[in-house]
Amino acid sequence: MRRITHIRLPQPLHKAPVADLWWIGLDDQARLIEVQPMPAGMAMAGESWHGDWLSPMGVDLQINGGLGLAFPELTTADLPLLLKLLDRLWADGVEAISPTLVTCGVPSLRQALEVLRQARAKHAPQRCSLLGAHLEGPFLAPERRGAHPLEHICAASLEALAERIQGFEHEIALITLAPEQPGADLLIERLRSLGVLVCLGHSAADAAQAGEAFDQGISMLTHTFNAMAGLHHRAPGPVGEACRRGGIALGLIADGVHVDPSMAVLLQRMAPDQLVLVSDALAPYGLEDGEHRWDARLLSVKAGTCRLADGTLAGVTLPLLEGCRKLARWSGEPGAAIWAATMAPRLALNNNHPLEQLLQGQRLTNLLRWKGDLNGDELSWQRGA
């Protein structure tokens, strides 16, 4: 048995660790068969990682496309490029995604869901998995729609929901809606009965309305701070209410543009076990900066930031793990940043297995080894080997 020692496992900020250092045992196919704390103060034979972190690959709960593909525009002809994108995501350290379908027409939405169904059937090893889709809209507050096209924003009703997802009910993992809109309570109840994670986003809800929505079953904020009221000392809004009560996942785009780095670190310190990093990557992910098409609109990409022609912030082209590296740099807490990109999304989807249990049986080459410390070294990752 091969043994690797002096490994750190990521965890939320301020959580007391089970152990400072761990060791793992590998079988002859490089599968983890032992994940154990290192005895304090005792020497142990084996290959030392000198305090590097070991984690699963990332999970991205909000990604809108890549390599020129916008998920809401998918057709069967796009299947080869979609599979290529999934291979690219695996190479970028992402094990699974919830492909995000922003507000669009009903025929386009249903066609995209059908193509995603076909792509799931073509899953292969060493390829990013497609989880259930994330429907970001259309039941949003028009005044908080951001880059979502107004003509496709829809009033909340069970009929409108069925029109969009009937036949795909069990292929939806998340949906983002504005819970203060009339009829949203019925949607939340229906979606929760289907096992869908319901998120508050593109919403004009205040703290009290957000609290009611959390009581009804909403359990996540979509791109926290963006397209919702921010924190104010007299109006805490959805963010303040989510932090106050705990247990609400807080999706965060850690590009430094959507949310100022200081606010990202503040959020991490206020709600360390709630933070979930997402990319919010758009169709130009994996392409060069410049001008790109997004449905009928022009998208300008500069330094990884995507904006519409009128300057509206639309998304990014940065990989999920780049956001993790940025958060680690801002906060000086690499282990907590790794946790937010790898473990927190799994917990949001109710995968509650402890990390050491999740690692059991995994091939080391399908896990990530992270290097970096608090002495100014930049956090970096590579495949376990």
Side-chain angles (χ1 to χ4, degrees):
M1 181 182 73
R2 178 186 172 195
R3 178 185 287 167
I4 303 177
T5 66
H6 298 85
I7 292 171
R8 285 187 280 186
L9 299 183
Q11 62 181 17
L13 192 63
H14 305 319
K15 183 178 180 181
V18 173
D20 291 328
L21 293 171
W22 296 73
W23 67 272
I24 59 174
L26 306 169
D27 65 14
D28 57 5
Q29 295 184 337
R31 289 193 182 93
L32 276 69
I33 55 174
E34 293 272 5
V35 182
Q36 299 291 340
M38 287 190 65
M42 292 181 61
M44 177 174 282
E47 169 193 345
S48 175
W49 272 16
H50 306 289
D52 290 349
W53 287 270
L54 176 67
S55 81
M57 295 171 64
V59 173
D60 197 347
L61 301 184
Q62 187 176 2
I63 175 171
N64 306 278
L67 299 183
L69 284 180
F71 291 146
E73 301 174 26
L74 287 173
T75 68
T76 302
D78 293 321
L79 267 172
L81 187 55
L82 175 56
L83 298 180
K84 183 178 179 181
L85 171 59
L86 295 174
D87 291 337
R88 169 62 184 265
L89 285 161
W90 180 273
D92 284 344
V94 179
E95 180 178 334
I97 64 169
S98 282
T100 303
L101 304 173
V102 298
T103 303
C104 62
V106 175
S108 296
L109 176 65
R110 293 186 62 82
Q111 177 176 262
L113 289 170
E114 175 57 35
V115 175
L116 291 170
R117 174 184 282 171
Q118 295 172 28
R120 285 190 195 93
K122 295 180 178 294
H123 180 66
Q126 314 297 308
R127 173 176 290 163
C128 180
S129 297
L130 285 169
L131 305 173
H134 177 176
L135 304 191
E136 189 181 352
F139 310 112
L140 310 177
E143 67 272 31
R144 290 284 189 175
R145 68 184 185 277
H148 290 245
L150 181 60
E151 63 268 26
H152 296 307
I153 299 293
C154 180
S157 74
L158 293 175
E159 293 75 18
L161 177 67
E163 183 184 15
R164 286 158 175 80
I165 72 167
Q166 189 168 27
F168 299 100
E169 291 92 341
H170 300 292
E171 296 174 61
I172 310 296
L174 303 91
I175 186 167
T176 294
L177 53 74
E180 76 282 2
Q181 297 295 298
D185 55 340
L186 296 178
L187 288 190
I188 295 169
E189 181 180 6
R190 170 60 176 154
L191 291 162
R192 293 302 299 135
S193 74
L194 293 172
V196 176
L197 190 156
V198 188
C199 311
L200 181 154
H202 292 276
S203 165
D206 59 21
Q209 291 169 317
E212 292 176 4
F214 300 149
D215 289 340
Q216 291 165 0
I218 281 186
S219 56
M220 185 169 180
L221 299 189
T222 294
H223 44 52
T224 302
F225 290 119
N226 298 117
M228 65 183 65
L231 280 172
H232 186 278
H233 61 287
R234 293 195 186 97
V239 182
E241 178 61 17
C243 292
R244 183 193 69 80
R245 70 168 55 204
I248 306 298
L250 303 171
L252 179 72
I253 307 168
D255 63 338
V257 177
H258 281 77
V259 177
D260 185 88
S262 294
M263 290 302 291
V265 174
L266 179 63
L267 188 67
Q268 184 185 47
R269 292 178 180 174
M270 288 192 303
D273 59 349
Q274 296 171 242
L275 195 66
V276 177
L277 292 184
V278 299
S279 73
D280 198 32
L282 296 182
Y285 168 80
L287 304 179
E288 298 293 330
D289 282 3
E291 293 188 343
H292 299 271
R293 188 187 64 81
W294 191 29
D295 51 52
R297 297 171 292 178
L298 189 66
L299 197 63
S300 177
V301 182
K302 183 177 181 181
T305 298
C306 305
R307 295 184 184 273
L308 298 179
D310 63 1
T312 299
L313 190 58
V316 304
T317 61
L318 299 176
L320 174 68
L321 298 189
E322 181 60 25
C324 175
R325 297 175 68 239
K326 285 177 178 286
L327 180 60
R329 186 187 318 134
W330 302 333
S331 67
E333 299 287 351
I338 296 167
W339 185 88
T342 61
M343 285 301 295
R346 290 174 163 87
L347 291 172
L349 294 175
N350 292 319
N351 183 343
N352 297 314
H353 296 298
L355 176 52
E356 55 269 31
Q357 182 179 335
L358 190 65
L359 295 174
Q360 290 273 2
Q362 297 271 5
R363 290 185 183 272
L364 188 58
T365 51
N366 291 345
L367 301 173
L368 302 180
R369 178 180 180 179
W370 301 78
K371 294 178 177 289
D373 57 33
L374 306 185
N375 298 319
D377 289 346
E378 184 81 8
L379 184 66
S380 62
W381 65 270
Q382 63 186 60
R383 298 284 172 189

